[in-house]
């Protein structure tokens, strides 16, 4: 039997402003930040005092705010790269409020980006999805590490958003390519890093989304915004039956536990480290 090409459904891809809008809805349902902060604190404890930090795709400053509150020590220098104007503006305000010494570069990052110095910690907090070649971006960033430094990348495991995006993206006729590739997970990154000679350390934490009430009558707008972020489209405009298919996929991927409706979305922390002085 000959394979049948799926009929692709026209839909608008999110622009930068809508990305920011839907991200706020998405992250409000996430339980991942406590686990991410644990990993950041663990890594920072192994670094020198007054360590230099490069934060690639730093977002609004939510991560660094909570990290500094937990850590008790702060980087001696902090350079953030954030291309979304609304996020960069919020990040500058956060840094000023927290009295963080550093700068925000409102630019996009890639594997040829001119690195602004050397660093003890380079952080990618769910930002590798935006990069055309995430493996090469990690390798490029690794060259800026000081002895004993680390590149730490947070990204989704191969569950949750990852299979949802991979199932439905081939059925979409986008007006523009998706900015972030939500088809990237820790699996693809680790395989790619191993292929070029790295030995990444991977820790995966169970960090479900609490979707309690998301499928209730009256919650359609929030549900559509949540799925807009997952698929990077204007989900409310998606035609039937594909729209209902995606909603039912998400609903059926959830489990009831302790009175909550949870969607399993593990967060992976992938780390590559530079050799310390004196290491062979």
């Amino acid at each position: 039997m000959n394979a049948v090409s799926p009929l692709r459904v026209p839909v608008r891809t999110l622009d930068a402003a809508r990305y920011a809008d839907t991200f706020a809805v998405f992250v409000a349902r996430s339980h991942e930040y406590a686990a991410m902060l644990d990993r950041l604190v663990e890594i920072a404890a192994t670094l020198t005092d007054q360590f230099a930090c490069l934060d690639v795709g730093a977002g609004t400053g939510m991560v660094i705010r909570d990290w500094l509150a937990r850590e008790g020590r702060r980087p001696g220098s902090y350079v953030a790269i954030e291309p979304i104007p609304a996020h960069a503006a919020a990040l500058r305000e956060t840094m000023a409020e927290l009295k963080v010494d550093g700068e925000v570069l409102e630019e996009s990052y890639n594997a040829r980006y001119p690195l602004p110095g050397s660093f003890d910690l380079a952080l990618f907090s769910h930002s590798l999805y935006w990069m055309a070649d995430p493996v090469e971006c990690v390798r490029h960033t690794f060259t800026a590490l000081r002895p004993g430094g680390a590149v730490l990348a947070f990204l989704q495991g191969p569950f949750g958003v990852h299979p949802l995006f991979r199932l439905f993206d081939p059925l979409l006729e986008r007006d523009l390519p998706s900015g972030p590739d939500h088809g990237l997970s820790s699996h693809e990154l680790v395989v790619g890093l191993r292929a070029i000679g790295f030995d990444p350390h991977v820790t995966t934490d169970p960090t479900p989304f609490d979707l309690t009430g998301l499928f209730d009558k009256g919650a359609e707008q929030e549900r559509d915004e949540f799925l807009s972020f997952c698929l990077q489209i204007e989900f409310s405009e998606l035609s039937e039956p594909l729209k209902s298919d995606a909603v039912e996929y998400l609903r059926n991927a959830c489990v009831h536990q302790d009175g909550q409706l949870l969607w399993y979305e593990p967060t992976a922390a992938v780390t590559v480290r530079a050799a310390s002085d004196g290491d062979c």
Side-chain angles (χ1 to χ4, degrees):
M1 180 180 296
N2 293 330
V4 177
S5 298
L7 180 65
R8 297 174 66 150
V9 178
V11 68
R12 287 193 298 150
T13 298
L14 300 183
D15 61 19
R18 288 289 293 136
Y19 175 92
D21 292 342
T22 59
F23 173 77
V25 174
F26 181 81
V27 76
R29 292 279 184 165
S30 174
H31 285 184
E32 74 172 346
Y33 277 97
M36 289 171 60
L37 294 173
D38 287 343
R39 300 302 166 200
L40 274 170
V41 169
E42 287 176 6
I43 289 288
T46 69
L47 303 176
T48 61
D49 291 339
Q50 297 296 301
F51 61 92
C53 178
L54 174 66
D55 193 348
V56 182
T60 61
M62 180 187 303
V63 173
I64 189 172
R65 176 190 295 279
D66 293 342
W67 174 29
L68 293 182
R70 284 273 305 273
E71 173 63 14
R73 60 193 287 245
R74 60 186 58 223
S77 64
Y78 176 77
V79 177
I81 300 173
E82 175 49 57
I84 297 177
H87 286 183
L91 177 58
R92 290 188 181 98
E93 292 179 3
T94 299
M95 290 172 61
E97 177 188 342
L98 298 175
K99 296 181 173 58
V100 172
D101 179 25
E103 61 179 328
V104 178
L105 305 175
E106 200 168 316
E107 300 169 342
S108 296
Y109 193 78
N110 58 55
R112 296 182 179 178
Y113 186 87
L115 291 162
S118 62
F119 300 91
D120 299 291
L121 174 64
L123 174 64
F124 293 86
S125 180
H126 291 290
S127 55
L128 285 174
Y129 312 121
W130 289 88
M131 296 167 200
D133 193 336
V135 172
E136 284 301 316
C137 284
V138 171
R139 170 155 59 180
H140 176 60
T141 310
F142 185 83
T143 65
L145 290 184
R146 297 171 180 174
V151 176
L152 170 62
F154 290 115
L155 70 167
Q156 63 191 356
F159 308 93
V161 176
H162 177 262
L164 172 68
F165 188 88
R166 288 199 163 211
L167 280 173
F168 286 94
D169 185 60
L171 306 179
L172 304 175
E173 188 67 52
R174 299 176 180 271
D175 63 336
L176 294 169
S178 175
D181 177 11
H182 285 172
L184 172 71
S185 75
S186 58
H187 173 74
E188 290 81 16
L189 180 64
V190 167
V191 169
L193 289 172
R194 287 173 178 160
I196 60 173
F198 285 102
D199 183 20
H201 176 74
V202 186
T203 302
T204 303
D205 291 301
T207 52
F209 284 89
D210 181 359
L211 301 190
T212 306
L214 194 67
F215 302 99
D216 292 353
K217 185 177 177 59
E220 292 84 2
Q221 182 178 0
E222 183 188 2
R223 180 204 65 196
D224 287 359
E225 290 289 88
F226 186 88
L227 279 162
S228 288
F229 183 83
C230 293
L231 297 174
Q232 289 298 296
I233 60 171
E234 294 292 354
F235 186 79
S236 65
E237 300 174 6
L238 191 62
S239 61
E240 297 290 358
L242 195 58
K243 182 177 181 180
S244 293
D245 289 346
V247 171
E248 286 308 304
Y249 175 91
L250 180 60
R251 187 203 309 268
N252 291 324
C254 296
V255 296
H256 291 274
Q257 182 176 326
D258 299 328
Q260 296 176 307
L261 186 66
L262 302 180
W263 188 31
Y264 185 56
E265 170 78 1
T267 298
V270 179
T271 309
V272 290
R273 301 210 68 143
S276 300
D277 285 334
D279 287 352
C280 296

